[in-house]
């Protein structure tokens, strides 16, 4: 939760990217750190680039859903819209089901977040 450590992590991982040693995990970690310090636009840009390079990776949609949930949670209740969250959530679920792997605990957490948003009246399907 300490902003200073997140910023240091971004700096270190950015050097990895600059040196051409980055991989999917490096980029998602940078996006996660940006998300943690509230720089949502930077996180979104990284995740959208990952999505463009591999649109079949459910993890990217999962990360986008988490990011969108954080964005909405930072807003006042009456200003929230979970439309983008729902789109990312549904795509992550679809791709995750296709690989038939029930071992991702973050997907279970995403299900709980969906249920909370639905119970809060922000999602109506």
């Amino acid at each position: 939760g300490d902003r200073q450590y997140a910023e240091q992590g971004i700096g270190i991982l950015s050097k990895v990217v600059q040196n051409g040693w980055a991989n999917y995990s490096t980029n998602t970690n940078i996006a996660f750190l940006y998300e943690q310090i509230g720089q949502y636009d930077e996180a979104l840009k990284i995740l959208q680039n990952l999505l463009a390079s591999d649109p079949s990776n459910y993890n990217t949609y999962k990360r986008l859903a988490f990011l969108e949930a954080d964005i909405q949670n930072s807003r006042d209740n009456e200003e929230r819209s979970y439309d983008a969250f729902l789109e990312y959530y549904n795509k992550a679920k679809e791709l995750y089901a296709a690989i038939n792997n029930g071992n991702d605990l973050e997907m279970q957490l995403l299900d709980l977040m969906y249920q909370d948003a639905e119970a809060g009246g922000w999602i109506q399907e």
Side-chain angles (χ1 to χ4, degrees), residues 10-31 46 49-50 53:
I10 291 168
I12 291 167
L13 292 173
S14 293
K15 288 179 184 175
V16 170
V17 171
Q18 289 169 0
N19 288 326
W21 301 327
N23 59 23
Y24 182 85
S25 294
T26 307
N27 286 301
T28 57
N29 286 334
I30 294 171
I46 292 167
N49 286 338
L50 289 173
S53 68

Side-chain angles (χ1 to χ4, degrees), residues 99-112:
I99 63 170
N100 199 19
N101 180 358
N103 297 326
D104 188 336
L105 295 177
E106 285 187 321
M107 288 301 293
Q108 294 173 20
L109 177 58
L110 202 57
D111 286 337
L112 293 174

Side-chain angles (χ1 to χ4, degrees), residues 69-117:
D70 279 350
I71 291 169
Q72 296 310 315
N73 286 334
S74 72
R75 296 179 174 161
D76 292 334
N77 284 346
E78 61 277 356
E79 295 177 8
R80 293 181 185 181
S81 170
Y82 281 80
D83 294 343
F85 168 84
L86 184 59
E87 180 182 330
Y88 297 139
Y89 169 81
N90 285 334
K91 190 65 175 179
K93 294 287 285 184
E94 173 191 328
L95 293 171
Y96 184 64
I99 63 170
N100 199 19
N101 180 358
N103 297 326
D104 188 336
L105 295 177
E106 285 187 321
M107 288 301 293
Q108 294 173 20
L109 177 58
L110 202 57
D111 286 337
L112 293 174
M113 293 172 74
Y114 169 86
Q115 292 168 9
D116 288 345

